[in-house]
Amino acid sequence: MEFYHITDRKNRHRILNEGIIPKTGHRSASVLDDRHNVLFLSDEKSIYAWSILLNFEEFDVIVVDVPTKFIYNSYTYGSEFEDDEYETTFGIKYNEYACRDIIEPRYIVDVIPGESLDQDKIEKARIGLCHNACFDLSSTIKTIVRIMEMPGL
């Protein structure tokens, strides 16, 4: 099954020679504990949202074709592949998968330069992610106000 890995362009040569190696990089460390070294993958439709969230200046999308026995859903950290989709409040859908194994170069089927991605799809994802962040912030503020208005505080 094909999966997509977004990486800083400076990693292209190393990945093509050594494969994609699971590790906890500075981006992963900010959102994960250090239980596992993992690498993250997405499906094709999710690369637009992830290209924004990862915010690389220059990036490549590494396309791999690997058996799903190596892949698990990163939201549940299940032991087997699940094709579950995360949907934001405003309908932006994206998937995230994880792999604890090295994806060897033989599994790499394509490298897509980030600048060749459909800019309209990136903009649609950007707007959706911004709307969702605003909605989440608004909900958080409403919750804080309700808590502050509780008797006894």
Side-chain angles (χ1 to χ4, degrees):
M1 184 169 179
E2 282 193 354
F3 294 94
Y4 299 77
H5 177 75
I6 297 176
T7 187
D8 193 307
R9 173 128 329 124
K10 67 184 179 186
N11 298 326
R12 179 195 298 182
H13 182 73
R14 183 185 49 77
I15 287 173
L16 291 175
N17 288 314
E18 299 173 21
I20 307 172
I21 301 170
K23 63 181 182 173
T24 303
H26 67 280
R27 284 183 165 78
S28 299
S30 67
V31 294
L32 294 172
D33 61 34
D34 57 359
R35 291 179 295 175
H36 304 289
N37 285 332
V38 297
L39 62 92
F40 291 99
L41 304 165
S42 73
D43 56 12
E44 184 175 15
K45 69 179 177 287
S46 302
I47 59 176
Y48 305 102
W50 285 113
S51 70
I52 296 163
L53 294 168
L54 293 173
N55 196 31
F56 290 117
E57 276 192 41
E58 290 187 316
F59 66 93
D60 289 319
V61 180
I62 309 295
V63 184
V64 297
D65 190 356
V66 294
T68 57
K69 69 180 182 177
F70 296 118
I71 309 300
Y72 62 97
N73 184 297
S74 67
Y75 299 114
T76 62
Y77 287 94
S79 59
E80 56 187 56
F81 175 74
E82 300 172 32
D83 198 8
D84 291 335
E85 190 168 62
Y86 176 75
E87 182 171 2
T88 67
T89 307
F90 288 90
I92 299 299
K93 298 178 182 181
Y94 58 94
N95 286 323
E96 179 182 73
Y97 305 101
C99 179
R100 293 184 183 114
D101 300 302
I102 294 173
I103 297 178
E104 298 172 13
R106 66 187 168 115
Y107 292 113
I108 297 172
V109 295
D110 199 6
V111 177
I112 303 168
E115 60 272 13
S116 71
L117 294 180
D118 185 325
Q119 294 301 307
D120 290 336
K121 289 181 180 179
I122 291 175
E123 188 58 24
K124 181 179 177 185
R126 183 185 323 279
I127 291 167
L129 290 168
C130 287
H131 285 167
N132 194 68
C134 290
F135 179 82
D136 289 348
L137 180 59
S138 173
S139 295
T140 301
I141 291 170
K142 288 177 187 176
T143 300
I144 291 169
V145 169
R146 280 196 301 272
I147 291 169
M148 296 303 294
E149 291 174 343
M150 294 175 119
L153 289 180

